[in-house]
């Protein structure tokens, strides 16, 4: 009789959950060495992830309508939100498997698909098969980069990335589009040489994402600790420098970071 009642209760619970339109998320976490099942998700970190996802989607829509400056700015906005969600989760001790997977999918849209479609609409659409081929290479490399990162997240050195991070690669391409929009190349038409350069640069950024080259992750920076006063002066100087010419300064910073990995690898090899 007891087994029959337990079976009926289990069936009733299953039928009740089946009537729910959206099931509540539940995942296993380790607490003091014990496996505990917790329901629900953390709100604040996932809000930032959603904002990053929306920025990437907005960049795609803007690029499709020819608003390339807005598209480039939206990709940089996605980078800001993407940087905040992880740090907020760590500060709140609110890391979760759901958050990690959601962040990875949002990165694929904001830093994989969005830059490829924006650059394709801006410069590569007239290059035929070469244009969509390099766009696909970039998207595929971004997917491979994120998949490798997810499988190595528990074993890799936290201070370094293996391969160029997808937000940094997206910053290079978005910076190029932003500068071109300010130069008026969109309205006046783009020269064939610039179209080819954009395609080759996209292919190079895609390959850098999957190469076995180390990049500094800057995750060792302690935002909660005390720093010398001169550090705050340097931060003010950086903000002032960016405000003078955001498009060119951000593009230069992204290019320097993208080149830092191969340059350091060559230096270590010959040293």
């Amino acid at each position: 009789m007891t087994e029959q009642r337990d079976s009926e209760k289990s069936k009733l619970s299953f039928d009740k959950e089946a009537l729910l339109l959206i099931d509540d998320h539940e995942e296993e976490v380790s607490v003091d060495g014990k496996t505990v099942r917790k329901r629900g998700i953390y709100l604040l970190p996932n809000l930032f992830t959603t904002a990053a996802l929306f920025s990437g989607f907005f960049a795609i829509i803007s690029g499709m309508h020819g608003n390339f400056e807005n598209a480039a700015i939206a990709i940089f906005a996605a980078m800001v939100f993407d940087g905040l969600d992880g740090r907020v989760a760590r500060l709140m001790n609110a890391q979760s498997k759901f958050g990690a997977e959601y962040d990875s999918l949002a990165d694929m849209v904001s830093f994989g698909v969005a830059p490829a479609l924006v650059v394709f609409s801006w410069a590569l659409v007239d290059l035929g098969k070469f244009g969509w081929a390099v766009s696909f290479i970039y998207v595929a490399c971004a997917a491979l980069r994120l998949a490798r990162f997810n499988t190595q997240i528990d074993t890799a050195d936290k201070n370094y990335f293996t391969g160029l991070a997808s937000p940094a690669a997206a910053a290079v391409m978005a910076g190029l589009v932003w500068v071109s929009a300010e130069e008026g190349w969109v309205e006046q038409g783009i020269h064939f040489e610039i179209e080819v350069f954009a395609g080759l640069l996209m292919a190079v950024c895609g390959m850098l994402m999957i190469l076995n080259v180390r990049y500094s992750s800057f995750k060792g920076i302690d935002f909660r600790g005390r720093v010398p006063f001169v550090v705050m002066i340097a931060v003010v100087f950086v903000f002032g420098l960016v405000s003078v010419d955001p498009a060119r300064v951000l593009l230069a910073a992204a290019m320097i970071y993208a080149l830092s990995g191969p340059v350091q690898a060559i230096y270590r090899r010959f040293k």
Side-chain angles (χ1 to χ4, degrees):
M1 293 293 294
T2 303
E3 293 181 356
Q4 184 177 0
R5 284 196 299 268
D6 291 342
S7 178
E8 290 177 354
K9 288 181 179 179
S10 177
K11 182 179 180 181
L12 181 62
S13 176
F14 177 79
D15 292 340
K16 185 177 180 181
E17 291 182 357
L19 294 175
L20 296 176
L21 295 178
I22 301 177
D23 192 14
D24 196 5
H25 174 70
E26 184 175 332
E27 66 181 48
E28 294 182 351
V29 297
S30 179
V31 179
D32 298 330
K34 298 181 180 180
T35 301
V36 179
R37 299 184 70 86
K38 290 191 174 183
R39 301 175 71 90
I41 61 174
Y42 293 105
L43 179 61
L44 189 56
N46 290 301
L47 280 178
F48 284 112
T49 304
T50 304
L53 178 61
F54 173 79
S55 298
F57 179 76
F58 180 80
I60 295 173
I61 299 300
S62 297
M64 292 172 60
H65 287 82
N67 300 321
F68 297 109
E69 185 172 2
N70 292 339
I73 295 174
I75 292 175
F76 279 106
M79 292 178 58
V80 175
F81 291 124
D82 179 67
L84 287 174
D85 64 0
R87 295 198 179 276
V88 168
R90 286 188 290 271
L91 289 173
M92 295 176 54
N93 194 24
Q95 300 99 320
S96 65
K97 294 180 181 179
F98 175 87
E101 294 299 327
Y102 186 33
D103 178 68
S104 182
L105 293 172
D107 286 354
M108 184 58 204
V109 174
S110 300
F111 310 125
V113 177
L117 291 181
V118 170
V119 174
F120 179 81
S121 301
W122 163 61
L124 306 183
V125 67
D126 294 330
L127 296 181
K129 294 182 178 179
F130 174 78
W132 64 256
V134 294
S135 299
F136 171 73
I137 289 173
Y138 181 89
V139 173
C141 289
L144 293 170
R145 167 71 177 79
L146 291 168
R148 182 175 65 180
F149 176 80
N150 290 342
T151 57
Q152 298 176 348
I153 192 170
D154 295 326
T155 58
D157 187 350
K158 303 297 183 182
N159 295 317
Y160 295 96
F161 292 130
T162 301
L164 181 64
S166 56
V172 174
M173 304 313 304
L176 180 63
V177 174
W178 194 355
V179 170
S180 72
E182 289 193 346
E183 290 291 335
W185 294 341
V186 176
E187 293 81 4
Q188 300 173 4
I190 306 174
H191 295 294
F192 177 76
E193 294 79 4
I194 298 177
E195 294 176 347
V196 174
F197 173 77
L200 293 176
L201 182 62
M202 174 169 278
V204 170
C205 287
M207 296 305 298
L208 286 176
M209 283 191 282
I210 60 174
L211 287 181
N212 189 24
V213 178
R214 291 200 312 174
Y215 286 87
S216 177
S217 66
F218 302 108
K219 290 184 178 180
I221 300 176
D222 185 8
F223 288 94
R224 292 176 293 182
R226 291 179 176 270
V227 296
F229 181 70
V230 68
V231 174
M232 202 62 215
I233 298 176
V235 171
V236 173
F237 175 77
V238 170
F239 273 98
L241 184 63
V242 172
S243 65
V244 172
D245 194 341
R248 290 164 180 79
V249 172
L250 292 175
L251 175 59
M255 291 288 289
I256 291 172
Y257 180 75
L259 293 173
S260 65
V263 170
Q264 292 182 31
I266 293 172
Y267 174 77
R268 286 192 298 266
R269 183 177 183 85
F270 284 96
K271 183 179 178 181

